[in-house]
């Protein structure tokens, strides 16, 4: 309609045919005006980047922001969450792959069963080869003797280390966050500094009145956490504090309720969106040889780092 209004004065010239230069001029003016109007009508929030506003099924989730100043739930604000992080398709298979990876990659078997050559003693032949009526034997440390070495025993250290692709880890983390938010197990607070006391009983009252459950995970924006919260959580074994850079799928599933502050939530969304929209590949190759020195270096402070304990 606006383009027709711009072109109406030119209809009386000749047969109403515009030159290519005039058409480009007025079409560019119209596109800029329409784009500005669309941006104003859509009301797109600058705090939620990388949103496909043309998606007909797009739903921007919201969440309440509460305070820890009182034991009763005190809602102070409502914020918008990014749909890419908190409205992901619930792929339970990806979540299972992440949890299995976290349980497996940290396992390290130090069992080393000595072979015949490594066993002490057994240098001489126990009896002559012939005319004894016994089986042939060259050493009492052979595997078929009671105190002999092992033929095909465990030869540690052995690791089950492997790395998942970045895309699988990111998607699994988003799935865990989505499930926590949909199940109403994600609590957003303004700040942990609003906790009035360091008494553990106050946290117990908070969990009871707000239906947090038995186990609670507090996620902070950094390693510097409120002293009152640290002292209170030290007395409760099922309450744990974790910085946002250590958040993982296993911890999100392990604890019944996740309590995260606003600063940590902002950092979490920014980092996930940055990794999901980066220019590099999402399928890096992680080799065990690159991590072997770090994994096997854990025995440096042992009594005998060269030969780990054996069974």
């Amino acid at each position: 309609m606006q383009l027709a209004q711009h072109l109406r004065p030119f209809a009386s010239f000749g047969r109403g045919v515009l030159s290519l230069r005039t058409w480009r001029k007025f079409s560019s003016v119209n596109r800029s005006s329409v784009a500005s109007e669309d941006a104003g009508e859509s009301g797109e929030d600058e705090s939620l980047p990388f949103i496909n506003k043309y998606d007909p099924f797009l739903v921007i989730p919201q969440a309440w922001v509460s305070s820890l100043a009182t034991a009763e739930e005190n809602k102070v604000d409502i914020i918008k969450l990014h749909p890419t992080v908190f409205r992901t398709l619930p792929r339970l298979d990806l979540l299972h792959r992440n949890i299995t990876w976290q349980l497996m990659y940290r396992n390290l078997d130090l069992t080393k069963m000595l072979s015949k050559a490594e066993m002490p003693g057994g240098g001489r032949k126990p009896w002559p080869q012939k005319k004894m009526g016994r089986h042939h034997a060259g050493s009492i440390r052979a595997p078929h003797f009671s105190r002999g070495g092992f033929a095909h025993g465990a030869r540690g250290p052995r690791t089950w280390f492997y790395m998942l692709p970045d895309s699988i880890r990111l998607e699994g983390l988003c799935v865990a966050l989505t499930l926590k938010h949909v199940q109403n197990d994600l609590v957003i607070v303004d700040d942990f500094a609003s906790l009035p006391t360091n008494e553990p009983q106050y946290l117990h009252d908070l969990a009871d009145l707000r239906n947090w459950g038995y186990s609670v995970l507090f996620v902070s924006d950094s390693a510097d956490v409120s002293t009152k919260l640290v002292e209170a959580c030290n007395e409760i074994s099922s309450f744990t504090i974790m910085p946002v850079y250590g958040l993982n799928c296993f911890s999100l599933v392990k604890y019944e309720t996740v309590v995260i502050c606003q600063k940590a939530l902002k950092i979490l969304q920014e980092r996930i969106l940055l990794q999901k929209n980066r220019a590099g590949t999402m399928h890096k190759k992680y080799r065990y040889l690159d991590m072997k020195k770090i994994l096997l270096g854990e025995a440096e402070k042992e009594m005998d780092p060269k030969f780990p304990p054996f069974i």
Side-chain angles (χ1 to χ4, degrees):
M1 183 64 69
Q2 293 182 358
L3 183 59
Q5 293 177 358
H6 286 300
L7 300 181
R8 191 172 298 167
F10 296 89
S12 59
F13 291 93
R15 297 182 180 179
V17 180
L18 296 177
S19 64
L20 182 60
R21 181 178 301 176
T22 308
W23 171 259
R24 287 177 177 174
K25 175 182 177 181
F26 281 93
S27 62
S28 61
V29 171
N30 179 69
R31 282 198 302 268
S32 60
S33 60
V34 172
S36 60
E37 290 181 1
D38 291 344
E41 292 176 359
S42 62
E44 184 178 352
D45 193 356
E46 296 181 356
S47 62
L48 301 177
F50 305 109
I51 289 183
N52 184 13
K53 62 180 181 179
Y54 300 105
D55 185 5
F57 304 102
L58 178 65
V59 176
I60 298 180
Q62 295 179 338
W64 286 104
V65 179
S66 57
S67 176
L68 301 178
T70 58
E72 294 78 10
E73 189 170 9
N74 182 19
K75 299 177 180 178
V76 297
D77 194 9
I78 187 170
I79 60 174
K80 295 180 180 179
L81 304 177
H82 203 285
T84 306
V85 181
F86 292 95
R87 279 300 179 270
T88 307
L89 185 67
R91 292 281 304 274
L92 298 183
D93 58 328
L94 299 183
L95 185 61
H96 177 265
R97 288 182 62 181
N98 277 269
I99 295 176
T100 305
W101 167 66
Q102 286 188 249
L103 294 176
M104 292 294 294
Y105 82 92
R106 60 186 179 183
N107 292 344
L108 183 64
D109 186 10
L110 297 178
T111 304
K112 182 180 180 181
M113 305 171 73
L114 300 184
S115 63
K116 170 187 172 182
E118 295 171 340
M119 290 291 291
R124 61 182 289 271
K125 193 174 179 66
W127 48 75
Q129 181 81 357
K130 297 182 178 181
K131 299 181 181 180
M132 293 297 294
R134 309 180 72 173
H135 66 279
H136 299 172
S139 173
I140 60 173
R141 300 307 179 202
H144 58 280
F145 279 86
S146 61
R147 296 183 181 180
F150 294 90
H152 303 286
R155 303 293 295 177
R158 180 191 175 190
T159 178
W160 286 263
F161 175 84
Y162 69 97
M163 291 294 291
L164 282 179
D166 293 351
S167 58
I168 303 297
R169 286 187 283 167
L170 279 174
E171 198 66 24
L173 184 60
C174 293
V175 169
L177 291 171
T178 299
L179 295 177
K180 280 294 180 182
H181 180 255
V182 171
Q183 294 173 354
N184 201 21
D185 291 333
L186 181 68
V187 179
I188 303 174
V189 297
D190 52 357
D191 194 2
F192 291 141
S194 60
L195 194 68
T197 179
N198 59 351
E199 292 294 332
Q201 187 60 38
Y202 184 79
L203 283 185
H204 280 300
D205 296 339
L206 273 175
D208 292 339
L209 294 176
R210 303 189 184 189
N211 297 322
W212 284 358
Y214 173 75
S215 57
V216 181
L217 176 65
F218 295 92
V219 182
S220 63
D221 56 331
S222 64
D224 298 331
V225 194
S226 173
T227 308
K228 297 179 181 179
L229 181 62
V230 173
E231 294 176 355
C233 290
N234 285 338
E235 303 296 330
I236 307 175
S237 59
S238 59
F239 286 12
T240 307
I241 306 174
M242 177 181 294
V244 66
Y245 55 78
L247 195 62
N248 55 85
C249 296
F250 181 78
S251 298
L252 289 173
V253 176
K254 176 182 177 181
Y255 293 90
E256 296 184 34
T257 304
V258 178
V259 182
I260 183 172
C261 64
Q262 275 190 285
K263 292 182 180 179
L265 179 65
K266 182 180 179 181
I267 295 174
L268 179 64
Q269 291 188 139
E270 289 178 354
R271 292 185 178 180
I272 291 179
L273 293 175
L274 177 64
Q275 294 298 325
K276 279 200 166 188
N277 297 275
R278 69 186 186 190
T281 177
M282 298 289 288
H283 296 274
K284 292 182 179 179
K285 291 184 179 180
Y286 296 94
R287 301 186 307 168
Y288 168 67
L289 293 178
D290 301 335
M291 307 290 180
K292 182 178 179 180
K293 185 177 180 180
I294 300 176
L295 292 174
L296 299 184
E298 298 179 356
E300 291 181 354
K301 298 181 180 180
E302 298 291 337
M303 296 296 295
D304 193 352
K306 186 175 181 181
F307 297 100
F310 62 90
I311 298 177

